[in-house]
Amino acid sequence: MDELDITNTQYGALQSSVSAVNTVLPILGGLFIDYFGTNSGSLIATSLIMLGNLIISLSTHTQSFSTMVAGRILYGLGSGTITVVQETILGSWFKGKGLAITIAIQITTSRIASFLSMGTAIPIANRFGFYGAAFWANFVVCALSFGINLVYIGAMRRIRRNTSQNVLDRLRTKHKFNPRLVVFFFGIYWMIIVESFTLGGGWNSFLHINSELVKLRFGVNDAIAAWSASVSQIMPIFLVPFLGWFFDLYGKRTDMLVLSTSTFTISMLLLGFTKANPLIGLVVFSISLALGPLAEITAISLILPSNSLGTGLGIYKSAMNTGSTIVDIVVGVLQDRGSRVLEDSENSYDYVMAFFTAWGAVSTLVAGTIFLVDRFKWSSLLRSNASDRKEAYHVVKAKINRPMLYAAATNWRDYAALWNYIPLIILGCLLVVSWVLFAVKLA
């Protein structure tokens, strides 16, 4: 922030530039992939990511805040689409239990990359005597990713030449977007979306400020703060692959979701209001980060019909990015209102941590509601293991298939009650709020 001469509020807007463009992009990206396929989608996404990081790297030489924001937006356009591409590819190549494991591996790989990037950014900058060196290192990694994607596209073209047209047509239409289905999504699904908005927004926003929090509140230098903050990415690396197996064998998704929200809240209390070693709070936070995403994603896959799963996951990611955009900016405002006295720097995050603690409490309340609704309205479908799910599915099968039947009917409006539209209206309002806040704080 010192090199660009910007405030905490502007820094929050800079961080939210990625999540802002991804408030709607996952759904639009799914539409694009349905029309043009994963090859075109992945090529455009990796190109945008590489170009965005190139512009960000160049902005470190000009010290231009607006240029860096432009690069972040381009990067956000690519990163939002590439996630949809990855899940579409995994959904096409893996079935049943294998999908949970592959998603777990995907999340783990992402956390390893985040852990290494957070831990090496300061050493790279110190090694070259220029903070922009870390951004250039990131650009090199993105360029390598673009090259690997070209190899993947070449391999897919060879496979297509040996695949029947019927199979190819099935893969193209598997995740076809049907707007009517959204109207008939279940109440428990929208509760998971609320959880994504609150807990997901809290995760992402905290990851943006945890290094500076450790530095100011616990009085350590930049290098130690960076490595300490990277601890928040450790537990997902080890836990998520195990959880992919655990969910298939034992279920307990709603239990893990409640535990995820609880550990998030506890970690905020430890880091914000105690003098305990920050590594303790960061490890507790990382447990939350490990438990939550896989529980939410696999829960959605169980309650939505397969032909609406792409749409459901797109809304899930949009809600998470909407929450991240709003929370990033709120946190930036609270930081600027905190203590500015150097000697009192350890208290500069008091408002921020109080907000995160309250935010976590709300998430815990939502998770508890999901737990109860699943138990009493969905025959514990989300808590069931692989064998017990058959019985639970038999009980709720008609309910799961109902949205498809309603959406396909010519008189589908007759089946839609007023409450079916309320979640969509609220989500639309939150999207508008996130973009208005982003535009105001960016100005």
Side-chain angles (χ1 to χ4, degrees):
M1 291 190 297
D2 294 335
E3 290 83 359
L4 295 174
D5 189 28
I6 59 176
T7 65
N8 287 302
T9 302
Q10 288 177 306
Y11 179 74
L14 176 63
Q15 292 290 0
S16 66
S17 58
V18 173
S19 54
V21 297
N22 283 323
T23 53
V24 294
L25 196 61
I27 298 175
L28 298 179
L31 279 170
F32 180 89
I33 293 166
D34 283 337
Y35 280 114
F36 300 105
T38 56
N39 283 359
S40 299
S42 65
L43 183 63
I44 292 176
T46 52
S47 299
L48 287 170
I49 290 172
M50 184 173 63
L51 179 60
N53 275 278
L54 175 61
I55 293 175
I56 292 171
S57 300
L58 292 173
S59 72
T60 63
H61 295 274
T62 61
Q63 296 186 356
S64 170
F65 175 65
S66 58
T67 302
M68 182 170 284
V69 170
R72 291 280 293 179
I73 291 175
L74 284 177
Y75 167 78
L77 288 170
S79 64
T81 305
I82 199 66
T83 304
V84 179
V85 171
Q86 290 169 342
E87 292 183 353
T88 303
I89 293 171
L90 293 176
S92 299
W93 283 90
F94 297 93
K95 306 291 182 182
K97 296 180 181 180
L99 181 59
I101 297 297
T102 53
I103 291 177
I105 294 172
Q106 176 195 21
I107 294 174
T108 299
T109 304
S110 173
R111 297 307 176 193
I112 291 174
S114 297
F115 172 76
L116 292 176
S117 65
M118 291 178 66
T120 58
I122 298 299
I124 290 174
N126 291 339
R127 171 65 178 81
F128 291 92
F130 172 52
Y131 79 99
F135 291 93
W136 282 109
N138 191 41
F139 167 72
V140 171
V141 173
C142 293
L144 289 173
S145 176
F146 178 78
I148 292 172
N149 186 49
L150 293 178
V151 174
Y152 165 77
I153 291 174
M156 287 300 299
R157 286 178 177 174
R158 286 194 296 271
I159 292 173
R160 275 201 176 93
R161 285 196 291 267
N162 299 318
T163 305
S164 68
Q165 188 61 43
N166 288 337
V167 174
L168 292 176
D169 290 341
R170 263 200 322 270
L171 290 174
R172 290 191 185 100
T173 59
K174 179 181 178 182
H175 301 292
K176 186 177 180 181
F177 179 71
N178 186 346
R180 296 178 184 176
L181 284 169
V182 182
V183 177
F184 299 105
F185 279 173
F186 313 109
I188 192 172
Y189 166 79
W190 289 112
M191 292 178 195
I192 297 174
I193 296 305
V194 174
E195 191 68 278
S196 173
F197 175 83
T198 54
L199 187 58
W203 285 330
N204 293 335
S205 183
F206 179 76
L207 288 172
H208 293 158
I209 58 96
N210 60 348
S211 180
E212 187 183 7
L213 167 69
V214 172
K215 174 185 174 181
L216 294 180
R217 192 166 195 285
F218 297 94
V220 299
N221 60 39
D222 288 333
I224 294 177
W227 276 111
S228 297
S230 66
V231 170
S232 60
Q233 304 282 359
I234 284 182
M235 294 307 293
I237 295 174
F238 300 103
L239 277 182
V240 171
F242 166 76
L243 285 172
W245 166 81
F246 180 88
F247 285 153
D248 282 328
L249 191 61
Y250 297 105
K252 310 298 183 183
R253 289 168 178 81
T254 52
D255 303 69
M256 294 300 104
L257 193 56
V258 172
L259 184 58
S260 177
T261 57
S262 301
T263 50
F264 174 83
T265 307
I266 292 170
S267 68
M268 296 300 104
L269 288 169
L270 288 172
L271 290 168
F273 304 102
T274 74
K275 283 298 184 179
N277 190 306
L279 294 178
I280 299 174
L282 291 170
V283 168
V284 174
F285 172 83
S286 70
I287 293 174
S288 171
L289 196 60
L291 297 175
L294 193 60
E296 292 173 338
I297 293 172
T298 55
I300 290 174
S301 69
L302 289 176
I303 61 176
L304 291 185
S306 59
N307 65 340
S308 65
L309 185 56
T311 304
L313 289 173
I315 295 174
Y316 165 81
K317 294 182 184 301
S318 293
M320 180 178 291
N321 287 312
T322 300
S324 181
T325 300
I326 294 174
V327 173
D328 271 337
I329 294 174
V330 170
V331 166
V333 173
L334 293 174
Q335 282 179 274
D336 285 334
R337 292 185 178 180
S339 176
R340 294 175 176 270
V341 180
L342 183 61
E343 293 78 7
D344 195 34
S345 60
E346 66 177 64
N347 296 319
S348 59
Y349 271 84
D350 286 354
Y351 293 139
V352 172
M353 300 311 292
F355 169 78
F356 274 132
T357 301
W359 198 248
V362 172
S363 297
T364 303
L365 179 63
V366 175
T369 304
I370 294 172
F371 179 92
L372 294 175
V373 171
D374 173 61
R375 180 176 179 181
F376 294 107
K377 297 293 185 180
W378 284 82
S379 299
S380 295
L381 176 65
L382 303 184
R383 295 192 76 237
S384 302
N385 57 30
S387 58
D388 293 339
R389 271 204 306 272
K390 294 179 182 179
E391 182 178 349
Y393 260 128
H394 180 73
V395 176
V396 299
K397 183 178 180 180
K399 182 186 293 188
I400 290 178
N401 291 330
R402 199 174 298 152
M404 258 189 320
L405 299 175
Y406 288 169
T410 55
N411 61 333
W412 63 273
R413 289 185 180 85
D414 295 338
Y415 298 105
L418 178 61
W419 74 267
N420 291 103
Y421 296 96
I422 292 177
L424 296 172
I425 294 172
I426 294 175
L427 180 61
C429 291
L430 289 173
L431 286 170
V432 172
V433 169
S434 67
W435 275 95
V436 169
L437 286 175
F438 175 64
V440 170
K441 296 305 178 181
L442 196 60

